[in-house]
Amino acid sequence: MLAATWTERGDRLYQIANTEPDLDETSHQVTLAIAKNPASTADVLLRLANGTPQSLLSRLVSIHSDPPPIAEEIGIAIVRHPNATDAVLEAITEPFGTDLADHFEHVAAEIAQSRLLTPELAKRVGTHRRSAKQLAQNPAIHLYLAAHPHLFQEMSYEAQKSLVRRSDATEALVRRAAEEGSKGLRAAAAQHEKLPPELIEELAFDEMRLVRRAIAMRNDLQEAVVRALASDPHPIIRQTVALKAPNCPESVLQELGQDAAGSVRRAAATHANCPSSLLSELAQDDRPSVREAVAKNPNTPPPDLRRLSDEEEERAVRTGVAQNKCAPGPTLRKLSVTDVYSVRLAVASNTGAPPDVLRAMVEDEAEERRIRLRAQASLQRLSEA
């Protein structure tokens, strides 16, 4: 039986590597041992990796729809070997082209992060999310992109997207994705902090909803862009503006608060800038989810919170009031003795509740242990404030 010990000489290993494998478990173990042996030279590794019909990895794929795990171990050992060269890595990938990750995802990921990465390898690996992320983190890829701008277009979509999403992506790369990329790349560029202002405005009118929503999620939008997105024909965009735009003008929130879509009205009710007058209107909305959002908003007038706390059939609305740090003390006192567990727990967690209410909950031996502990923790936070 062939062996590949740590002390085997390079020429002997080359002889073993050139032996026609039987593709049984024994030959797998011998090949793995050679791949891990520090004495294996680049020629030995190249023989193991060589994309010929006799190559173990390519033959396993042609024979088995699901190659054994040891095949991936062999590939990883070859890539990690200190004597490996870029020619060895290219030999591993050549029989598979861009399909390597379909069969050996972890091997592709190892190559993607290797110091031996070449432009050709960058095109072949990175087709799956794992290897694409590793490729985008490899310092070499940024040097190649700077020297060969066309390389970006020849890379897989997953690799392109991972590169654009990185915080250290260049403005030129982000701009290129925004102007020339697919909808997924435009959406990735739309969220990047290096996207130029003129392209932010342009993408706000993109034909794809995915891209417009990505723009709506930014926290640095100019008022004109916010107003444009607030008038978008799709409710998910208007909802995102109400949820994410920190500088959303009150006039825009007024419009969104009267939107035909309940999800948009609910989003408007959650905004920190939502005016009290609008919250009073939305406190009477026919959708419980909208009233729940009103109940949680600290800008909601006390009379509305008192009325919402009386909604016996809407537990979520009453819980929202119980969570509100600006709810009137008498209202929280009343909710602290309700028969609804989630409402009492919310009061116990509310550091805006009167201290005597929290102490009463701690001292009530009939109360649930979790609620008593939560009230004790709230009292502790109040004493430390």
Side-chain angles (χ1 to χ4, degrees):
M1 180 172 58
L2 296 176
T5 63
W6 295 117
T7 57
E8 197 84 48
R9 289 178 56 84
D11 53 355
R12 174 59 177 155
L13 288 170
Y14 187 82
Q15 179 184 0
I16 297 173
N18 274 280
T19 303
E20 181 73 19
D22 297 325
L23 296 183
D24 58 13
E25 182 61 28
T26 300
S27 68
H28 296 169
Q29 294 293 345
V30 171
T31 304
L32 179 60
I34 296 174
K36 288 185 174 182
N37 195 322
S40 293
T41 63
D43 286 341
V44 171
L45 298 173
L46 188 61
R47 172 56 188 157
L48 295 181
N50 198 1
T52 67
Q54 288 75 37
S55 166
L56 179 63
L57 295 187
S58 56
R59 289 188 68 185
L60 281 170
V61 170
S62 66
I63 295 173
H64 304 286
S65 58
D66 187 17
I70 195 171
E72 189 130 53
E73 287 187 61
I74 293 169
I76 292 174
I78 294 172
V79 175
R80 290 179 176 177
H81 200 285
N83 293 331
T85 63
D86 54 357
V88 171
L89 271 56
E90 291 189 1
I92 288 179
T93 61
E94 187 173 0
F96 306 98
T98 58
D99 296 330
L100 175 69
D102 292 338
H103 306 288
F104 303 109
E105 181 182 359
H106 295 281
V107 177
E110 284 292 329
I111 294 174
Q113 62 184 324
S114 172
R115 60 181 173 79
L116 301 172
L117 185 74
T118 65
E120 184 60 35
L121 288 170
K123 300 175 192 176
R124 296 177 185 175
V125 300
T127 55
H128 285 207
R129 184 171 299 178
R130 177 187 177 91
S131 53
K133 185 175 181 180
Q134 296 290 353
L135 181 64
Q137 294 174 348
N138 192 324
I141 193 62
H142 301 285
L143 298 176
Y144 293 142
L145 286 172
H148 310 285
H150 65 277
L151 177 61
F152 181 76
Q153 292 302 115
E154 299 176 16
M155 297 172 68
S156 71
Y157 167 71
E158 285 293 338
Q160 290 176 336
K161 189 167 61 172
S162 293
L163 284 165
V164 173
R165 284 179 170 174
R166 284 186 60 83
S167 60
D168 58 356
T170 63
E171 182 178 324
L173 185 65
V174 175
R175 177 184 288 275
R176 184 171 186 177
E179 294 177 337
E180 305 173 12
S182 63
K183 66 177 181 180
L185 290 183
R186 297 199 306 276
Q191 298 180 59
H192 205 286
E193 62 179 8
K194 293 179 183 175
L195 184 67
E198 69 273 14
L199 288 179
I200 293 178
E201 185 171 356
E202 180 179 322
L203 293 182
F205 295 93
D206 194 275
E207 62 180 347
M208 301 304 300
R209 184 180 70 207
L210 175 71
V211 179
R212 302 198 306 276
R213 190 182 187 197
I215 289 292
M217 294 180 70
R218 297 180 67 97
N219 60 8
D220 60 351
L221 298 178
Q222 297 295 319
E223 183 175 324
V225 177
V226 172
R227 290 186 181 278
L229 293 169
S231 301
D232 193 277
H234 201 283
I236 192 66
I237 308 299
R238 305 194 299 274
Q239 175 187 342
T240 304
V241 170
L243 286 172
K244 299 293 185 179
N247 58 340
C248 190
E250 286 191 7
S251 58
V252 173
L253 289 171
Q254 285 284 357
E255 294 177 11
L256 295 174
Q258 297 169 1
D259 197 279
S263 61
V264 178
R265 300 197 303 276
R266 183 185 188 280
T270 66
H271 202 284
N273 294 344
C274 189
S276 297
S277 58
L278 177 58
L279 288 167
S280 291
E281 293 178 30
L282 294 176
Q284 303 178 53
D285 196 277
D286 58 356
R287 291 223 180 172
S289 61
V290 177
R291 301 198 302 278
E292 178 188 356
V294 173
K296 295 178 179 180
N297 196 314
N299 296 334
T300 301
D304 295 305
L305 291 175
R306 282 193 290 268
R307 186 173 57 77
L308 291 171
S309 70
D310 292 331
E311 292 199 16
E312 296 290 342
E313 297 182 0
E314 298 297 340
R315 180 177 302 182
V317 175
R318 299 175 69 199
T319 301
V321 176
Q323 293 173 344
N324 196 323
K325 288 181 170 56
C326 295
T331 299
L332 293 175
R333 188 184 307 278
K334 178 185 66 176
L335 293 175
S336 71
V337 294
T338 183
D339 59 353
V340 180
Y341 175 86
S342 63
V343 176
R344 298 199 313 277
L345 181 64
V347 174
S349 305
N350 190 344
T351 54
D356 65 304
V357 170
L358 295 173
R359 278 193 291 271
M361 300 181 83
V362 172
E363 296 168 0
D364 185 357
E365 296 183 357
E367 183 55 275
E368 297 280 352
R369 182 173 183 272
R370 184 184 179 192
I371 291 178
R372 296 175 67 187
L373 290 174
R374 192 67 63 84
Q376 181 63 55
S378 295
L379 282 172
Q380 181 66 29
R381 288 197 297 273
L382 283 172
S383 67
E384 295 172 352

